[in-house]
């Protein structure tokens, strides 16, 4: 357990360091199994009724907005069985601990690794590879991953070098715009999933128009940033986590406000709208599975052999899951989906100018120069 002097040293501010950066650095250097993580909220153990965590509030859901059949088609439990929480001082923030039906997380993991990583979607590898290498990252990685010994250092597969993929309207990080001509069809299964989750949270007319997939290794972080890209901040940003757990920091409008730390486990969903859409947030740490197994137990259950009629999920073969499981032993995948255009807006008016800081660039802990370049304000 970290001693008092050690903890004080870890939290001591560096020159010019704000409160958010100080806590970010503390959790990046934290040690699992010690008191370091004692203040991190775990929503799987939260109980507002019992007062186990004063900051955690129950969040109402619109149960009648999503039928049990539609929820099942998306691989979700009936909304009446979900638990949803908010945080005092963070209006518009909703946290839903794993509402997926057993086995269905496997579909979304496979989609992120095998399907969504394909062209014509855009990824971080595009500028570093010749065109003929890019189309099938999965095909070029599966044998290397399947036979990989996680305890031995071997050449990384292309999938292990993947850091982000964008879907739908692709954000231009150079001129900070979305545009009509930088678009690829948004995946219909992911659009359906997000529509059900948004409706359950009270957003009946949500349209999935852009997605960012982040691929984290155990040494990856997501720098401090604010999502300001979309015009209508009343439309939610939906975030889905799969694989290893992570610490998420949610701060204030300014970085001198101390953020709140929480765990994101496999299957957890976060919804941010309104006020919470404009708050600083970050991921300082990805953590090996808490119970000592290589994967969270919720990923051990396979998809049902017989999928319900109209299901957006597709079967996941044993061979495909072997690759996904080996990848997730040292990784986490996150999908964020947002609506770009305000209701009734079209592209004929003008390009949608944005002021977003980087929201999809992942940093490796051992590359400070890269982190500074990708996240100049973090």
């Amino acid at each position: 357990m970290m001693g008092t002097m050690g903890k004080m040293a870890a939290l001591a501010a560096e020159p010019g360091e704000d409160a958010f950066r100080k806590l970010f650095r503390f959790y990046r250097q934290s040690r699992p199994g010690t008191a370091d993580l004692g203040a991190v909220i775990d929503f799987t153990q939260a109980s507002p009724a019992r007062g186990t965590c004063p900051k955690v509030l129950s969040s109402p859901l619109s149960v009648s907005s999503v039928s049990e059949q539609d929820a099942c088609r998306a691989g979700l439990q009936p909304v009446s069985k979900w638990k949803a929480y908010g945080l005092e001082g963070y209006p518009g923030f909703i946290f839903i601990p794993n509402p997926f039906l057993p086995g269905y997380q496997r579909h979304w993991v496979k989609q992120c690794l095998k399907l969504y990583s394909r062209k014509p979607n855009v990824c971080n590898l595009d500028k570093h590879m010749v065109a003929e290498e890019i189309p099938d990252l999965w095909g070029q990685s599966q044998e290397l991953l399947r036979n990989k010994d996680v305890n031995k250092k071997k050449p990384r597969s292309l999938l292990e070098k993947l850091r982000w993929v964008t879907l739908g309207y692709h954000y231009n990080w150079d001129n900070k715009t979305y545009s009509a001509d930088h678009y690829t069809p948004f995946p219909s299964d992911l659009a359906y999933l997000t529509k059900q989750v948004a409706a359950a949270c009270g957003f009946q007319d949500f349209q999935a128009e852009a997605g960012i997939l982040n691929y984290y290794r155990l040494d990856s972080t997501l720098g401090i940033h604010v999502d300001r890209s979309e015009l209508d901040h009343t439309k939610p940003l939906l975030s889905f986590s799969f694989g290893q757990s992570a610490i998420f920091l949610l701060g204030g409008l300014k970085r001198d406000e101390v953020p709140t730390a929480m765990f994101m486990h496999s299957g957890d969903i976060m919804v941010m709208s309104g006020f919470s859409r404009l708050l600083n947030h970050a991921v300082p740490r990805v953590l090996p599975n808490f119970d000592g197994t290589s994967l969270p137990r919720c990923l051990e259950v396979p998809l049902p052999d017989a999928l319900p009629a109209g299901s957006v999920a597709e079967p996941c073969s044993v061979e495909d899951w072997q690759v996904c499981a080996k990848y997730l032993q040292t990784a986490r995948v996150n999908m964020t989906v947002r609506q770009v255009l305000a209701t009734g807006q079209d592209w004929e008016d003008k390009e949608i100018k944005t002021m977003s800081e980087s929201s999809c660039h992942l940093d490796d802990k051992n590359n400070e120069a890269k982190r500074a370049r990708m996240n100049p304000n973090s």
Side-chain angles (χ1 to χ4, degrees), residues 57-371:
L57 312 168
S58 292
S59 184
L61 293 170
S62 182
V63 176
S64 62
S65 296
V66 180
S67 69
E68 289 194 19
Q69 181 181 13
D70 286 344
C72 185
R73 284 189 62 202
L76 298 165
Q77 299 179 43
V79 178
S80 60
K81 295 185 178 181
W82 297 9
K83 293 182 179 179
Y85 303 104
L87 287 172
E88 186 178 354
Y90 297 94
F93 175 80
I94 302 173
F95 194 105
I96 304 169
N98 185 14
F100 288 93
L101 290 166
Y104 280 83
Q105 288 188 52
R106 290 192 176 192
H107 168 79
W108 302 108
V109 171
K110 184 191 70 172
Q111 295 298 81
C112 288
L113 295 177
K114 185 176 182 178
L115 183 65
Y116 300 159
S117 61
R118 294 178 183 169
K119 291 291 127 196
N121 296 327
V122 180
C123 75
N124 65 292
L125 299 178
D126 292 352
K127 294 182 179 180
H128 308 288
M129 300 172 62
V130 294
E132 57 268 21
E133 286 184 302
I134 298 175
D136 188 10
L137 301 181
W138 173 271
Q140 297 183 36
S141 304
Q142 55 182 335
E143 278 307 311
L144 188 58
L145 273 170
R146 191 180 285 118
N147 299 317
K148 187 161 187 149
D149 184 342
V150 296
N151 296 315
K152 295 182 180 180
K153 286 191 175 183
K154 289 187 177 181
R156 288 188 302 167
S157 64
L158 292 178
L159 277 177
E160 291 172 294
K161 296 178 181 179
L162 191 63
R163 289 296 175 265
W164 55 263
V165 169
T166 54
L167 312 171
Y169 290 115
H170 303 283
Y171 185 71
N172 186 316
W173 302 104
D174 294 327
N175 60 19
K176 296 182 171 57
T177 62
Y178 286 110
S179 61
D181 59 358
H182 197 196
Y183 174 83
T184 56
F186 195 91
S188 59
D189 57 348
L190 184 53
Y192 187 83
L193 171 69
T194 53
K195 189 173 184 64
Q196 308 316 309
V197 174
C201 294
F203 303 95
Q204 307 301 328
D205 59 348
F206 177 78
Q207 298 294 321
E209 294 176 333
I212 296 175
L213 314 180
N214 279 333
Y215 300 80
Y216 294 77
R217 311 303 300 172
L218 289 179
D219 61 352
S220 297
T221 66
L222 179 65
I224 306 167
H225 68 280
V226 178
D227 291 306
R228 298 192 184 99
S229 299
E230 298 71 39
L231 286 190
D232 188 351
H233 296 137
T234 64
K235 304 298 182 187
L237 182 151
L238 295 93
S239 171
F240 303 82
S241 294
F242 303 107
Q244 302 299 328
S245 299
I247 297 173
F248 180 76
L249 297 179
L250 183 61
L253 295 171
K254 297 181 179 179
R255 286 176 45 164
D256 58 2
E257 298 179 51
V258 178
T260 297
M262 64 199 80
F263 289 117
M264 292 186 294
H265 300 307
S266 191
D268 289 351
I269 300 174
M270 289 194 309
V271 180
M272 300 170 72
S273 68
F275 177 77
S276 73
R277 278 293 306 274
L278 299 175
L279 300 180
N280 285 281
H281 53 279
V283 176
R285 187 70 192 273
V286 179
L287 299 161
N289 191 32
F290 287 0
D291 60 15
T293 57
S294 60
L295 290 180
R297 297 193 185 280
C298 59
L299 291 171
E300 294 178 353
V301 182
L303 272 164
D305 291 332
L307 297 171
S311 174
V312 300
E314 300 171 350
C316 181
S317 69
V318 172
E319 293 75 19
D320 280 357
W321 182 246
Q322 286 177 343
V323 178
C324 294
K326 187 60 70 74
Y327 176 89
L328 288 182
Q329 286 181 15
T330 55
R332 168 180 177 262
V333 178
N334 177 258
M335 310 187 300
T336 60
V337 180
R338 67 281 313 274
Q339 181 172 330
V340 174
L341 297 169
T343 302
Q345 185 181 28
D346 58 40
W347 291 106
E348 294 181 1
D349 299 331
K350 59 180 178 179
E351 284 194 334
I352 310 305
K353 295 195 178 296
T354 63
M355 301 181 297
S356 174
E357 298 177 55
S358 172
S359 63
C360 73
H361 286 157
L362 283 166
D363 309 316
D364 291 327
K365 196 184 291 186
N366 61 356
N367 196 335
E368 294 291 341
K370 179 181 175 185
R371 181 182 303 115

Side-chain angles (χ1 to χ4, degrees), residues 9-36:
L11 281 171
E14 295 180 347
E17 188 175 37
D18 55 67
F20 200 126
R21 169 56 64 184
K22 183 166 66 173
L23 204 60
F24 181 98
R25 183 165 54 88
F26 172 77
Y27 282 117
R28 192 180 69 206
Q29 300 169 353
S30 62
R31 296 178 296 175
T34 72
D36 290 3

